[in-house]
Amino acid sequence: MTKEGLHNLLNLGVEKNAAHFLIFSETKSERLNYVCEFIFNTVLKVNYSITQSLSEFETSNHFKINYYRKHIDKAFQLQPHSLIFETIITEQKPQPIFKNENIYFFETTSSNFHFDVFAATFFFISRLEEWQTFEADTHQRFEAKNSILFQNKFHLKPVVDIWIEELKTALQHFYPTISFPEKKFKAISTIDVDNLYAFKHKGFVRTSGAIAKDILKFDFKNLSARLNVLRGKQKDPFDIYESISEFCLQNNIPLLYFFLFKTGTAHDRTVDPSYPAFKNVFTTLKKYVSPSTGSGVFVGLHPSYNSSVDEAMLKQEVSDFSKALGEPVNISRQHYLRFNIKTTPKHLLQNDIMADFTMGFASQLGFRAGTSQPFYYYDFANEQKTDLIFVPFCAMDGAYLVYDKITPEDTLNSLLQLANEVKKVKGLFITVYHERTFYDELYKGFGEVYKKTYSKIAN
């Protein structure tokens, strides 16, 4: 994927003639610049700049935001919290405030807005709570129980996006002449391919063992399906690549596949990457690829279980995958969502990954960073924004199938409710499915849930 294509896909970019905000801050801060870029460029689609010069601020013709404790005439004031100007990581958690049927942090009393939206937004999109001490799960992941939003039952709403919409409304009241660009809701489908095929291309040893296992378990239905696939009498049940790509193309839904490209371990069990099967699938998918636009089908890497902590392993997988794909790979999502905020992003950057799609929960639905919008990785070790884009998702099939085991009908209703929350803020609705979820013998009805969800929200 090209950088231009990625930015088109994620609705990144600001028009030069869009409104311009000048923000006054007494203190220079990398954190302030980082969060302002997200709020104004990414979400509100307007321009901004920051000044420490009071005279420049007072004489400017731009729309003004005073991020300073003292009042300045004719400027919208936000009372700053110290978090934005700190250069250390503390274990302190912000205390929630509940009002307007929402959750807020860093409440203020003497400004034009009721809380420090810069500090609150920064806390969540910088993923500061993942840099703080937390109790990891068995896969060493930051899971929902550690999230402040989950603990307070606000994980199912993109609260950060809602805060920015509130800020937008307040700015419109303060500056009646301002015009914000119109934003549009967008649905994006992503599929993690943990196993390229269910039965095909597994080699003699694995196939013989699987047949023996079917016989010992008296699973003659699975045995019959396996033999029919191997004899060429029916399609492999995991071979979804043309059907799902066609569906998404017809409904104008961007589709991203992330392929696991390692096998032979307890957690990595796909077709041998040395087999031509992968190249054949990639050739098929290239019929649907539109490299310079935000539509079509895109292919990314699903780095293996241990690659999140092993940079050498990740480097080898990126190299091998790129060779098989026939072009550099630059988008990824970690297998098992196994991700260490302090190290994995740096490894991804070192291997020219532009965007990581791991930002979500395995066991729960919801918005891990409180937003449906993409945001850049903030490196607290160096106190600076990096070039790696985090793209959050709000629902993974496993949360329904593995952890909750709810019905297809309830799953559909749940997904539509999440999509409605994203529509309210005109954000990105992104889900994670797996190739096996479309196999009716394993998860009856869930392939139809996928199609019904995207058919309803795309039309």
Side-chain angles (χ1 to χ4, degrees):
M1 182 185 294
T2 65
K3 185 175 181 180
E4 178 188 9
L6 178 65
H7 284 209
N8 286 335
L9 173 71
L10 302 177
N11 294 336
L12 296 174
V14 181
E15 296 293 331
K16 290 183 179 179
N17 61 353
H20 190 117
F21 282 89
L22 181 63
I23 299 154
F24 175 73
S25 171
E26 186 182 33
T27 307
K28 185 177 180 180
S29 167
E30 288 293 328
R31 297 183 180 190
L32 178 59
N33 190 58
Y34 168 77
V35 76
C36 285
E37 181 178 358
F38 174 75
I39 290 174
F40 295 102
N41 289 172
T42 301
V43 183
L44 296 178
K45 304 299 180 189
V46 294
N47 298 293
Y48 81 95
S49 54
I50 301 172
T51 183
Q52 292 173 265
S53 169
L54 184 57
S55 60
E56 178 190 357
F57 184 75
E58 290 178 330
T59 58
S60 173
N61 292 322
H62 293 315
F63 299 104
K64 302 172 188 176
I65 295 178
N66 172 24
Y67 194 58
Y68 182 51
R69 64 184 181 278
K70 294 182 180 178
H71 174 78
I72 299 176
D73 288 340
K74 300 180 181 180
F76 185 93
Q77 185 173 14
L78 284 174
Q79 194 75 22
H81 187 275
S82 61
L83 174 64
I84 289 294
F85 303 109
E86 294 170 357
T87 56
I88 58 172
I89 299 174
T90 70
E91 294 295 330
Q92 185 175 358
K93 310 283 186 181
Q95 293 300 309
I97 302 108
F98 303 97
K99 60 195 297 188
N100 305 325
E101 298 183 345
N102 203 359
I103 189 171
Y104 303 93
F105 302 87
F106 307 118
E107 187 175 28
T108 61
T109 56
S110 57
S111 66
N112 294 109
F113 208 56
H114 61 103
F115 72 109
D116 184 352
V117 65
F118 289 176
T121 299
F122 176 82
F123 180 84
F124 287 100
I125 68 165
S126 69
R127 303 312 303 131
L128 177 55
E129 64 180 345
E130 296 189 41
W131 285 78
Q132 294 173 330
T133 302
F134 65 89
E135 183 183 350
D137 73 356
T138 55
H139 298 292
Q140 305 305 306
R141 300 176 299 198
F142 177 92
E143 260 300 297
K145 67 177 183 179
N146 299 295
S147 163
I148 295 176
L149 296 179
F150 178 80
Q151 292 164 5
N152 288 283
K153 297 181 172 57
F154 276 90
H155 59 296
L156 298 180
K157 290 180 178 289
V159 296
V160 170
D161 301 346
I162 295 170
W163 297 340
I164 297 172
E165 284 296 307
E166 290 183 15
L167 175 65
K168 175 182 173 181
T169 299
L171 289 169
Q172 287 173 320
H173 286 159
F174 195 88
Y175 295 112
T177 62
I178 196 169
S179 176
F180 287 94
E182 185 65 27
K183 291 198 310 175
K184 292 183 179 180
F185 164 83
K186 189 172 189 177
I188 298 174
S189 169
T190 72
I191 297 175
D192 288 351
V193 181
D194 291 349
N195 204 335
L196 192 67
Y197 291 115
F199 305 133
K200 294 198 309 182
H201 302 291
K202 296 300 177 69
F204 177 77
V205 174
R206 286 180 69 182
T207 299
S208 298
I211 289 173
K213 187 176 181 180
D214 287 341
I215 294 171
L216 290 172
K217 292 173 62 179
F218 297 101
D219 191 350
F220 298 112
K221 188 173 185 180
N222 199 58
L223 176 62
S224 176
R226 185 187 306 278
L227 294 176
N228 282 334
V229 168
L230 294 175
R231 291 167 180 162
K233 292 184 177 181
Q234 72 182 58
K235 193 174 184 180
D236 191 287
F238 290 0
D239 188 358
I240 61 168
Y241 308 109
E242 287 188 293
S243 60
I244 297 302
S245 298
E246 287 284 358
F247 168 80
C248 287
L249 188 66
Q250 291 170 7
N251 287 278
N252 197 32
I253 298 164
L255 170 61
L256 288 74
Y257 291 97
F258 295 98
F259 289 89
L260 181 65
F261 208 63
K262 185 178 179 61
T263 194
T265 76
H267 297 99
D268 309 309
R269 302 284 292 171
T270 187
V271 169
D272 190 324
S274 67
Y275 288 5
F278 275 100
K279 289 185 178 181
N280 294 337
V281 170
F282 296 159
T283 298
T284 297
L285 293 180
K286 284 181 179 179
K287 296 186 300 183
Y288 307 95
V289 171
S290 181
S292 61
T293 70
S295 61
V297 171
F298 304 91
V299 174
L301 177 64
H302 198 35
S304 64
Y305 185 82
N306 286 317
S307 71
S308 65
V309 294
D310 188 333
E311 198 273 333
M313 183 179 292
L314 176 64
K315 183 177 182 179
Q316 188 64 56
E317 289 179 31
V318 169
S319 175
D320 292 344
F321 189 84
S322 296
K323 289 177 183 176
L325 184 62
E327 60 188 61
V329 62
N330 46 34
I331 58 173
S332 67
R333 178 189 286 122
Q334 295 296 131
H335 191 31
Y336 277 76
L337 305 184
R338 199 162 183 251
F339 188 93
N340 184 319
I341 196 73
K342 298 178 182 179
T343 57
T344 309
K346 295 177 183 179
H347 296 165
L348 294 172
L349 283 164
Q350 288 165 0
N351 286 280
D352 298 321
I353 298 297
M354 295 191 302
D356 173 83
F357 288 71
T358 309
M359 191 55 63
F361 297 124
S363 63
Q364 295 287 339
L365 311 175
F367 303 89
R368 178 165 161 180
T371 180
S372 66
Q373 299 284 353
F375 54 95
Y376 287 91
Y377 170 59
Y378 192 84
D379 180 7
F380 279 100
N382 294 294
E383 279 293 344
Q384 65 181 16
K385 168 202 156 188
T386 70
D387 291 331
L388 180 66
I389 301 172
F390 285 158
V391 186
F393 66 86
C394 61
M396 185 165 74
D397 53 8
Y400 296 107
L401 300 171
V402 178
Y403 293 91
D404 275 355
K405 298 182 180 180
I406 66 175
T407 66
E409 182 180 3
D410 287 341
T411 298
L412 175 61
N413 291 332
S414 171
L415 288 169
L416 292 177
Q417 287 174 9
L418 278 171
N420 188 54
E421 291 294 337
V422 178
K423 280 186 175 182
K424 291 177 185 177
V425 295
K426 298 179 180 177
L428 302 181
F429 175 73
I430 302 177
T431 63
V432 183
Y433 265 68
H434 291 80
E435 80 294 327
R436 59 187 176 273
T437 310
F438 296 91
Y439 186 21
D440 230 30
E441 291 299 323
L442 292 179
Y443 303 110
K444 190 171 182 59
F446 277 87
E448 282 304 306
V449 167
Y450 173 90
K451 291 185 176 181
K452 287 178 181 179
T453 300
Y454 279 99
S455 293
K456 286 179 179 291
I457 64 179
N459 300 314

